[in-house]
Structure formats: structure tokens, C-alpha cells
Amino acid sequence: MTSVVEQYLARIESGCLPLDAGAVADYIPELASVDATTFAVSLVVHDGHVYSVGDSTLEFTIQSISKALTYALALRDRGVEVVDAHIGVEPSGEAFNEISVDHRTRRPRNPMINAGAITATALLIRPDKDGQQPTTREEWAPVLDTAFASILEFYSGCAGRQLSMDRAVYASEMATGSRNRAIAYMLQSFGVFPSHPQAAVDLYVRQCSVRVTSDDLAVIGSTFANGGVNPRTGRRMVDGQIARRVLSVMTTCGMYDGAGDWVTTVGLPAKSGVGGGILAVLPGQLGIGVFSPRLDEHGNSVRGVRACRLLSEDLGLHMFTVARESRVTIRSVYDGRELDPAATERSVRDATFLRAHRERIRVLELQGDLTFSGVESVVRRVEALQNRTDVFLIDLSRVGVVDDVSRRLLVALLRTRRDGAAGWVVVDPDGVLSGHGAPPRAPDSTPGGDDVAVTSSSAEAVEIAETMLLGRAERSG
């Protein structure tokens, strides 16, 4: 059965597919031939669970999204002081390929524009035992192979699977990369470049040519959301301080000259690539990967930006949204044996049945202000328990506020299960599920029915749950 979260993502897909504005990147010939109609959205939540719609297993080249990863790797392997001596962290307000440096220090302004990204890559080209950098193609070929193996291993660790390079895209970019070579030589002329310009550009193009999927981007995003630990593999890729620094720079610089509008409307650390991908992160909660090749004037995916805006607005993902969300939405899960029996007088037969089968009632107590990440965990817990449950009792008495999308997900969950195996009883004394802030009316379900019952009373909820359980037993013979 399709998850209610996947049903929501399908609506996001429907809202984005009609957009046909923008154009694919044609300054790299190999990218000009991609299918512009493809589209995918993937979410990876805090424990590594993946939700996706569309062409989520289709590989494309990571392109400039690699800048964030290589910056993280350089910070890890070379240290913050060394990296800061070569690359700033200030927004440039310029296009991704602008030939731009700080006028005072002559350093690239940040690692998300090409000048800074090529410098970060150059820092990974290690000198020989005498401290000398390779100066000829014959000297740097094996050095670059070693450096790229390190980059690919790091990217793969963040994605949780082995990645590879697209050699056709690599060759295409090397044949048309004059501007990047000019940037590298300019930096060398200022005396701030740590390697041979042509070697650095070669390695930079290799990293841009790594193939990923939207699922991969979402897993990478969740790795940084999780403080540098891949939630699917448990492997630590960077420490928490490096993850925080990378996300900070992504927030201010990751979307180039469109960063201000992005932070205002979407409010997530993000990085885009001219291959059509966008990686976005909600720290502590989830990673997002989107893919669609048509780009806007900033070099960002048109459909991808739209998808991220919808996700941020609907799911309350803006990082400056203030909510009293509990770190643990599910306060407690237990079965009906821990409930006090209803005061209703039962026949001996019914009382005996309830004593023997009360574990088929499952109670979920929720707490805090419910946003997407919390309700998503509720949805998955219910899906995991449904084969062992005849009646779910959901207690919202400790819930303060439910945002709109979380309310829709909960209602969709109730409606989906109405025709399934379980009955539903919801304790909602403050009317948070209806959104009206008023206690609900008496439940509409008939005794023994499998409808959804909403009540303001915990005692009444137990009585209804027991009656539903008895009714199901009677119908099943």
C-alpha cells in the first residue's frame, strides 16, 4: 500500500511537472542532450528511511553540488586553518562561474563559486615527499588518480553506496573548460593557489562528473543533517563542527546570486548543480534531493526550486520557523493490556474475550507541536504495527498544535486505514485534528463498527476501542 507521505510527494510532482520554463545547460555539450522532461523528488528522514517519486533512480552528474562535499573533505583532511587561509566564507552575490576574488586578500570569496571550489579541490592534491607539487601531466596523472579515489570514496560514503564517474561528461567538460582554467591561472598569478592550475581543473571536472540519483542527494543531505553521520550506514563522514560549517556556507552561498531569495522563501541550506540537481538539508531532521534538468537564469533547476518551495511551505521546513516541537513526537506506544478496562458492564463472554485479546488494541500517545518530521514517524510506526493491531487508539491530549500538512497526513492515514484491518479511536480534547480548536462532538461511529471515532474523553476512547474489538471478533466468526 502506498504511504501517505508518498501520496503527498506525488501531489508535489503533479504541481511541478507542468512547468516547462528554463533550458538545459548547453555550454557542456554532453549535458545538452539530456531528457529535459525527467523529474524526481526524494526525502530521507532522520533514521535513513527514503521516500521518493518520479525518476528517483535515474543517474545524472552531480556537477556543482560536489562543491559542498569537496569543501567538507578539505576541511576534514587539511584542517580548518589551512582551508581558511585559501578560501573565504563570504557570499559573493555573483554567478557560479564569475571570475571573482576578494579585493583585499585575493582569496576566492567562498567555496560554492567556481574559484573557491577549484581551490578546495587543489588542496586535495598532495605534494610529494619533498613538498613539491607535480608540474607536468606525467607527474600529476598518478597523483590525481589517488586524489580522485579519495574524493569518490568520500562521496560514496555520504551517499551510502558506491558511486562512479561519467567519462563522457568528463571529456565534454574538459574540452570546453577554458573559463575554469582561466580562473585557476588567475588565482595562481595572485600567489594564492596551492597546486598546478591544469591539474586542479582536471580533478575538479572529475568530481563534477560523478553520477548520482535524487535518492543519493537526499541521503547525502541527511548525512549532513545528522551531524556528519550517514543515517543509513551509521558511518561518520565528518564531525559535527564541519557539518555545521558546510551547512552555514550552503545557506548563504549555495544558490549563487539567487541565495537571498532562496533563504527567504525556502529557508534551507542547499546546493544546486547545472546537471539539474538540488540538495537541501533541514538540520537535525532530513535531507532532500530533487532533479529536473531545465535551469533558470541563476543555473538552478526550475522544477527543483518549485518542489523545494512547496515542500518548505507545506511541511513547515523553513529553518527559522518557530515551533514547540518535541524531540520525540511519539511519547509512548503500548497495547491495550496496559489500559484500565472500560466501566461499561460486559457479558461474561465479552469480558473473557477482552481479557484474552486486549493486546490487539494499540495505543500511541503523541506530544508537542506536530510538524512533518514527527508525523512521518507516526505514519511509519502505524504501518509497522498494522498486521498485529485490530484497533488503534491515538491520544492527542498532549499535542499543542498540528500544522496543516501534518493534519492532512493524519487524516489521510485515518481514511486509508478505514477500509483496512484496523479501527481507529482518536482522543482529541482540544480539537487539534479538526484545526478548529474546539473539543469534538460525540463520536459518530456505531458500536462495533470499524469507522473512525473521535472523542474528547480517554475513558470513552477505551470503551469505543473495546466495542470495536468485540464487533470485529463477532463479524469474523
Side-chain angles (χ1 to χ4, degrees), residues 156-215:
S156 299
C158 290
R161 75 176 185 97
Q162 184 61 47
L163 305 178
S164 62
M165 186 181 76
D166 188 317
R167 295 191 174 278
V169 172
Y170 164 75
S172 184
E173 291 197 50
M174 286 299 292
T176 57
S178 298
R179 190 177 186 89
N180 285 332
R181 283 187 279 272
I183 291 172
Y185 275 109
M186 175 196 69
L187 294 170
Q188 184 192 50
S189 74
F190 294 152
V192 297
F193 201 65
S195 181
H196 191 286
Q198 290 196 55
V201 170
D202 189 320
L203 185 58
Y204 172 70
V205 173
R206 294 190 198 192
Q207 75 178 43
C208 289
S209 302
V210 171
R211 289 188 290 242
V212 292
T213 67
S214 67
D215 283 352

Side-chain angles (χ1 to χ4, degrees), residues 241-414:
Q241 290 185 333
I242 290 176
R244 182 180 65 189
R245 171 179 274 247
V246 172
L247 292 178
S248 298
V249 176
M250 287 170 62
T251 300
T252 56
C253 311
M255 302 299 281
Y256 308 122
D257 46 339
D261 180 62
W262 176 272
V263 171
T264 302
T265 58
V266 179
L268 295 172
K271 187 71 196 77
S272 63
V274 296
I278 297 178
L279 178 153
V281 179
L282 181 59
Q285 295 192 41
L286 52 83
I288 299 172
V290 296
F291 168 62
S292 186
R294 292 195 184 98
L295 310 178
D296 62 18
E297 66 274 16
H298 304 297
N300 302 323
S301 169
V302 173
R303 288 174 174 173
V305 169
R306 173 64 174 165
C308 288
R309 285 184 175 177
L310 290 174
L311 288 167
S312 179
E313 292 169 2
D314 286 353
L315 306 184
L317 301 184
H318 197 294
M319 61 185 177
F320 297 128
T321 297
V322 178
R324 297 179 295 119
E325 182 177 13
S326 171
R327 291 290 294 176
V328 182
T329 294
I330 301 176
R331 181 175 184 267
S332 185
V333 179
Y334 52 92
D335 66 45
R337 288 173 295 189
E338 298 185 41
L339 292 169
D340 292 331
T344 305
E345 187 173 340
R346 304 286 188 186
S347 68
V348 174
R349 177 175 175 270
D350 287 352
T352 301
F353 177 86
L354 289 173
R355 282 195 299 271
H357 299 285
R358 286 174 67 85
E359 79 280 358
R360 300 295 297 182
I361 299 173
R362 191 74 57 165
V363 182
L364 281 77
E365 296 180 355
L366 310 186
Q367 65 183 2
D369 288 359
L370 302 189
T371 58
F372 169 76
S373 60
V375 173
E376 181 275 333
S377 67
V378 174
V379 170
R380 267 199 293 137
R381 182 66 70 90
V382 166
E383 290 171 345
L385 294 172
Q386 61 183 323
N387 291 333
R388 293 174 284 157
T389 305
D390 287 329
V391 180
F392 282 105
L393 195 162
I394 309 297
D395 188 347
L396 304 180
S397 59
R398 294 178 180 84
V399 170
V401 176
V402 182
D403 66 25
D404 287 340
V405 73
S406 298
R407 183 178 294 109
R408 291 200 299 269
L409 288 176
L410 285 174
V411 171
L413 182 66
L414 302 183

Side-chain angles (χ1 to χ4, degrees), residues 446-457:
T446 58
D450 285 335
D451 204 351
V452 176
V454 182
T455 177
S456 60
S457 166

